[in-house]
Amino acid sequence: KIIIMKRRFKLISTSVFALLLLSLPFLTFAQQSPEGQQMRHKQEMKKDRMTRMEENIPDLTAEQKKSIESIHLSAMKDVKPMKNELGEKEARFKTLNSADKPDMNAINKQIDEIAAIKTQIAKREAKAHQEVRAVLNEDQRIAFDMHRDQRRMEKSKHRAHH
């Protein structure tokens, strides 16, 4: 009887341990903050973007892929602090805009600062776009430009639904 009980206990404890191991990824995913989930979603979108770009641009060489990845990485490094600052300015704007006695001069100053940062980001992204185009041959540039236009149309459709 003792041997049978030990076997049952071992079987049950092994089953519980296996079940716990299998459920661990689901539990950690459920506990992540919305910000963490959003960040992971953005990272997946970036990977998907690179994969889609490679699929939509014909005959990319390994050297071209490496150059494009380097261009994107450099642009992301440049844009990251700008986006951080933009988030801070937008938060400050919300605070100013919801005050009981709003200071229009301060609000207008925040609007100007936000617009200036958005302009810097747009310029850096345009520079990266042109750097990528410079790496491509004529047929690849056409495909790249068409793909960008399609992405913009999809984004505008997505925004119209939300």
Side-chain angles (χ1 to χ4, degrees), residues 5-157:
M5 288 179 63
K6 282 184 180 181
R7 283 185 185 165
R8 282 187 183 164
F9 179 76
K10 190 173 185 179
L11 180 65
I12 291 171
S13 62
T14 304
S15 298
V16 168
F17 183 70
L19 184 62
L20 183 64
L21 278 178
L22 290 173
S23 65
L24 193 60
F26 298 106
L27 293 173
T28 56
F29 179 77
Q31 291 177 352
Q32 287 181 355
S33 67
E35 293 83 10
Q37 290 175 4
Q38 186 178 22
M39 182 180 289
R40 187 172 52 256
H41 176 70
K42 283 183 179 183
Q43 289 171 343
E44 289 171 6
M45 291 298 290
K46 285 177 189 173
K47 286 180 188 176
D48 289 347
R49 183 185 67 213
M50 288 300 292
T51 302
R52 282 194 315 266
M53 183 182 63
E54 290 176 8
E55 291 170 356
N56 290 310
I57 301 174
D59 307 319
L60 278 176
T61 65
E63 185 63 33
Q64 286 175 315
K65 288 179 186 179
K66 186 177 176 184
S67 294
I68 292 168
E69 286 184 36
S70 175
I71 290 165
H72 281 292
L73 182 62
S74 175
M76 286 190 298
K77 283 181 180 178
D78 291 346
V79 168
K80 182 66 176 167
M82 291 182 225
K83 287 192 174 183
N84 290 342
E85 185 179 1
L86 179 63
E88 292 170 10
K89 300 285 183 188
E90 288 174 337
R92 178 74 179 134
F93 171 76
K94 286 179 184 177
T95 301
L96 291 169
N97 208 31
S98 61
D100 290 337
K101 295 181 182 179
D103 178 353
M104 285 309 297
N105 289 330
I107 290 172
N108 288 333
K109 182 180 176 196
Q110 282 307 117
I111 291 170
D112 292 340
E113 291 174 2
I114 289 169
I117 295 169
K118 285 183 177 182
T119 299
Q120 286 179 310
I121 292 170
K123 287 179 179 180
R124 182 58 183 100
E125 289 174 346
K127 179 183 175 193
H129 180 77
Q130 294 306 317
E131 290 172 345
V132 170
R133 289 183 88 244
V135 170
L136 305 175
N137 66 36
E138 187 176 351
D139 291 338
Q140 291 169 328
R141 275 194 299 273
I142 292 168
F144 179 66
D145 291 342
M146 286 177 56
H147 179 64
R148 185 174 191 197
D149 293 343
Q150 288 173 345
R151 277 196 341 263
R152 285 188 172 164
M153 285 176 36
E154 288 172 10
K155 265 188 179 178
S156 65
K157 284 181 190 176

